[in-house]
Amino acid sequence: TTTGYIWNTLYGWADTGSGGIFPPSVDALTQPIAHHVAHPDTKRRLHELISASGLIDSLRQLEPGPATREDILRVHDAAHYERILSESALPKGGDAGDGVSPFGNGGHHIALLAAGGAIEAVRAVADGTVRNAYALINPPGHHAERATGRGFCIFNNGAIAAAHALETLGLQRVAIVDWDVHHGNGAQDIFRESSKVLNISVHQDRCFPSDSGFRDERGSGDGFGYTLNVPLPPGGGSGAYEYAFDAVVLPALRAYRPELIIVASGFDASMMDPLARMMLRADGFRSLARKIMDVADEVADGKLVCLQEGGYSPYYVPFCGLAVVEELAGVSTGTADAFAPILGPMGGDALLAHEREAVDAAKELLADIT
Ligand code: 6DK
Ligand code: ZN
């Protein structure tokens, strides 16, 4: 069993601007800082750990090509695509759509290469070239909606890859499991009315976007029941996440029986992340990966594609990502989580009563999946 892996040098060249608050404003005394919080070095450091640990030698490297206009228009409005292309031609680039998601001159090419990486990972898993795959793509995608980019995301890589699987590879049912700490609002918007995509997002309640990701957002029309949100209270660690997976995510996948599972894999639910307040450690991500692999084996012939989303701790993202890719590949490099001695004693392993309540309240969402 091989694991596919995608990284491209250009993913590390995404220009996220000068940093500071959005926009950096000297008038408002928000001093610019060296790096935007979404600087691509964090993801490059994960790629470097995958290399330095030797894990890369056990992976089958796949080559991404740029997504085409047709690939993008399966899920986005033409106006959004054209706007990104024209802003990308400006000397200083543009913004994905919400004013906090800058990209540099030529940034559209990197965004197309990220979407193309997602497509290539799905192709390779669907046609059996590899059993599963980790696409370490950048920029991320899961906040991008049909008509706009948002939250550091230009094009919705995961939705584009799912639509590619449905419309060109002949698949009928694809599930997206989004463990990024933020809400997967993009796929929710794009596939709201479709039962061909089951979109499950487990996230910190009201982290971002703060006005979406509630349990009562369930899709509409034919898609009713195929949008599942599991908002968790801040502070949850492996106890809360493992219970959310065991009680809601895995039963939903068993009920839906997708032919392919796409994971929106952010590492911003980690204890070290500056943008959220959850408490997973690298081992916690490893066990979520294990759970999804087991259910993929059960219902989807093992077909599983992980796509990189967020993660903002340059210290810790590499260890979280290494754990997940090791698990996918069934290989241990023996690389210790360098932060475990500090983070281990901080807790987060127990399921607390208010976390159990939040997950239990989401169990009723399973009823309408057929
Ligand atoms: N802004 C993502 O990780 C993107 O889900 C998260 C976008 C969060 C935007 C709001 C926010 C800050 C906070 C601190 C400092 C600067 C900006 F899409 C993904 F990348 F995956 O917290
Ligand atoms: Zn995120």
Side-chain angles (χ1 to χ4, degrees), residues 195-331:
S195 59
K196 292 188 172 181
V197 177
L198 173 67
N199 184 45
I200 310 175
S201 180
V202 182
H203 47 267
Q204 181 182 326
D205 189 18
R206 286 165 291 177
C207 190
F208 181 86
S210 55
D211 63 352
S212 68
F214 302 105
R215 284 188 297 268
D216 63 0
E217 297 160 24
R218 304 193 57 196
S220 57
D222 288 348
F224 181 81
Y226 298 89
T227 293
L228 248 82
N229 286 313
V230 188
L232 298 175
S238 58
Y241 273 90
E242 287 178 17
Y243 186 60
F245 274 56
D246 290 341
V248 179
V249 178
L250 305 186
L253 293 168
R254 288 191 193 102
Y256 187 67
R257 291 169 283 98
E259 297 159 283
L260 167 72
I261 300 174
I262 295 175
V263 172
S265 173
F267 298 117
D268 40 13
S270 91
M271 270 190 178
M272 299 273 283
D273 202 89
L275 260 55
R277 291 296 174 270
M278 302 305 272
M279 295 187 70
L280 283 175
R281 289 181 296 267
D283 262 359
F285 285 103
R286 185 191 299 274
S287 91
L288 300 187
R290 183 74 252 162
K291 287 177 187 292
I292 297 291
M293 289 169 71
D294 288 344
V295 77
D297 284 343
E298 235 178 277
V299 304
D301 193 24
K303 294 189 187 308
L304 170 61
V305 170
C306 296
L307 304 177
Q308 186 64 47
E309 296 287 352
Y312 305 97
S313 169
Y315 305 95
Y316 203 44
V317 162
F319 292 102
C320 297
L322 184 72
V324 167
V325 184
E326 278 189 353
E327 196 65 28
L328 287 178
V331 170

Side-chain angles (χ1 to χ4, degrees), residues 93-108:
D95 188 277
D98 59 358
V100 305
S101 311
F103 60 82
N105 174 276
H108 80 283

Side-chain angles (χ1 to χ4, degrees), residues 140 142-143 151-152 178-183 207-208 266-269 273 275-276 309-312:
H142 75 144
H143 297 308
F152 318 155
D178 188 326
W179 72 43
D180 184 283
V181 80
H182 302 103
H183 175 223
C207 190
F208 181 86
F267 298 117
D268 40 13
D273 202 89
L275 260 55
E309 296 287 352
Y312 305 97

